[in-house]
């Protein structure tokens, strides 16, 4: 699944092509994705100018005066800005026709993404209970330590809870815990304040670096300019079960945690 850096890479790739552009028409080729597509997408969005494209967690919002289109890429979704006349594929589910003549096209073989609508002055229920952005000033070691107090959940599960902090998915949680030297099964409430500070700092540094490098290339994700991300070449622990730890040489282990594969070094992470 595209994680925060991939979604941010998408936002930055789309920004110069969609901000300030008017949506001339919406072409829906199906009535639903993960959820039904609201009628407002076809009724209200055409004719509106996109003022900004924002990322909140792993969602993209196309803001207009009349409201905002709320987009999630799901497990396999991708957005492209295409020249007019590009043939439509079997998994191309909707187009936004822009006043430049180009088309913003959404492709999603698995259809786990979404296209929803947020009316002005409201917050969509999907966004209502989200925690702070990991790259914002609201997320730091003190915040993490306060929220972890008394919690028995494994620190990796805790870190991936979108109510605690948004957008820290499986890959980046594993990498941050390795960098901070924290075992993924350690109870969140048993992580010291100093180690929470190290973990929050690791999350920020790893996400910023991944964004700068274009995100992690996943099987179903390609960035809007057609180039894959490069961060996967630098992963230190994720996906390396059975291989030597890049830091100490001990064998990297894998466990299943919350129905996800978790990778860690038993020597470096305690």
């Amino acid at each position: 699944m595209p994680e925060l850096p991939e979604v941010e890479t998408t936002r930055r790739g789309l920004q110069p092509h969609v901000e300030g552009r008017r949506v001339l028409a919406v072409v829906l080729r199906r009535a639903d994705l993960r959820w039904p597509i609201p009628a407002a997408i076809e009724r209200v969005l055409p004719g509106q100018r996109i003022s900004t494209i924002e990322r909140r967690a792993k969602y993209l919002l196309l803001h207009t005066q009349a409201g905002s289109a709320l987009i999630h890429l799901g497990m396999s979704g991708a957005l492209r800005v295409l020249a007019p006349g590009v043939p439509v594929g079997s998994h191309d589910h909707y187009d936004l026709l822009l006043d430049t003549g180009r088309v913003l096209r959404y492709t999603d073989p698995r259809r786990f993404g979404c296209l929803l609508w947020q009316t002005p002055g409201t917050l969509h229920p999907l966004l209502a209970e989200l925690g702070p952005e990991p790259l914002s000033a609201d997320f730091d070691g003190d915040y993490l330590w306060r929220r972890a107090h008394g919690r028995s959940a494994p620190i990796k599960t805790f870190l991936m809870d979108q109510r605690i902090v948004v957008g820290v998915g499986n890959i980046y949680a594993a990498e941050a815990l390795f960098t901070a030297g924290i075992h993924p099964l350690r109870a969140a409430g048993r992580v010291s304040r100093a180690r929470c500070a190290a973990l929050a700092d690791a999350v920020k540094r790893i996400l910023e670096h991944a964004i700068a490098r274009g995100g992690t290339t996943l099987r179903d994700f390609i960035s809007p300019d057609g180039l894959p991300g490069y961060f996967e070449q630098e992963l230190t622990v994720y996906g390396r079960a059975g291989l030597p730890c890049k830091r100490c040489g001990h064998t990297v282990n894998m466990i299943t945690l919350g129905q996800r594969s978790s990778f860690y070094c038993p020597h470096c992470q305690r």
Side-chain angles (χ1 to χ4, degrees):
M1 177 182 292
E3 298 200 38
L4 185 151
E6 286 76 43
V7 180
E8 179 62 19
T9 298
T10 297
R11 187 196 71 80
R12 295 183 185 189
L14 295 178
Q15 187 175 26
H17 301 285
V18 303
E19 284 193 354
R21 307 272 45 108
R22 191 176 300 279
V23 178
L24 299 183
V26 175
V27 178
L28 301 181
R29 299 188 181 90
R30 58 180 302 113
D32 62 354
L33 291 166
R34 185 173 182 179
W35 299 290
I37 298 173
I41 293 291
E42 284 188 297
R43 187 183 71 248
V44 181
L45 186 55
Q48 297 299 317
R49 189 176 300 280
I50 299 170
S51 57
T52 56
I53 177 170
E54 177 193 5
R55 180 193 55 75
R56 178 69 173 113
K58 298 179 186 179
Y59 294 93
L60 292 171
L61 293 102
L62 304 181
H63 293 300
T64 77
Q65 276 194 326
S68 305
L70 181 69
I71 298 168
H72 196 286
L73 300 177
M75 295 182 68
S76 58
L79 286 164
R80 303 285 189 278
V81 178
L82 303 173
V86 173
V88 175
S90 59
H91 301 300
D92 294 339
H93 301 308
Y94 65 79
D95 289 350
L96 304 185
L97 280 61
L98 306 175
D99 60 5
T100 56
R102 291 185 172 269
V103 174
L104 179 60
R105 177 167 294 170
Y106 179 75
T107 305
D108 188 357
R110 300 182 189 177
R111 302 197 304 275
F112 286 167
C114 71
L115 176 61
L116 302 171
W117 187 252
Q118 178 178 275
T119 56
T122 67
L123 188 63
H124 195 280
L126 289 173
L127 307 181
E129 296 185 6
L130 293 178
E133 290 286 330
L135 300 180
S136 71
D138 294 330
F139 176 72
D140 60 16
D142 286 343
Y143 165 82
L144 201 57
W145 182 76
R146 289 194 304 270
R147 294 300 304 268
H149 182 70
R151 298 286 294 269
S152 60
I155 185 62
K156 185 166 183 281
T157 304
F158 175 79
L159 189 62
M160 292 175 61
D161 186 339
Q162 300 298 291
R163 295 166 298 181
I164 301 300
V165 58
V166 300
V168 184
N170 195 33
I171 293 174
Y172 299 103
E175 292 294 300
L177 287 167
F178 174 78
T179 300
I182 301 172
H183 195 290
L185 290 179
R186 177 173 286 276
R190 294 186 61 243
V191 179
S192 69
R193 194 168 197 156
R195 299 184 85 195
C196 280
L199 180 56
D201 181 66
V203 167
K204 288 177 182 288
R205 288 190 289 110
I206 287 169
L207 289 177
E208 286 171 348
H209 183 61
I211 291 168
R213 296 299 299 271
T216 305
T217 304
L218 302 180
R219 183 178 59 190
D220 294 310
F221 180 82
I222 301 175
S223 59
D225 58 8
L227 297 174
Y230 298 101
F231 187 70
E232 71 163 356
Q233 300 172 15
E234 303 169 27
L235 294 175
T236 53
V237 68
Y238 183 87
R240 291 181 50 81
L243 298 176
C245 171
K246 292 184 177 182
R247 181 183 295 167
C248 73
H250 282 69
T251 301
V252 173
N253 288 355
M254 183 186 77
I255 55 173
T256 300
L257 183 59
Q259 299 182 326
R260 292 174 179 267
S261 297
S262 296
F263 303 87
Y264 68 98
C265 173
H267 181 260
C268 294
Q269 295 174 251
R270 302 297 175 90

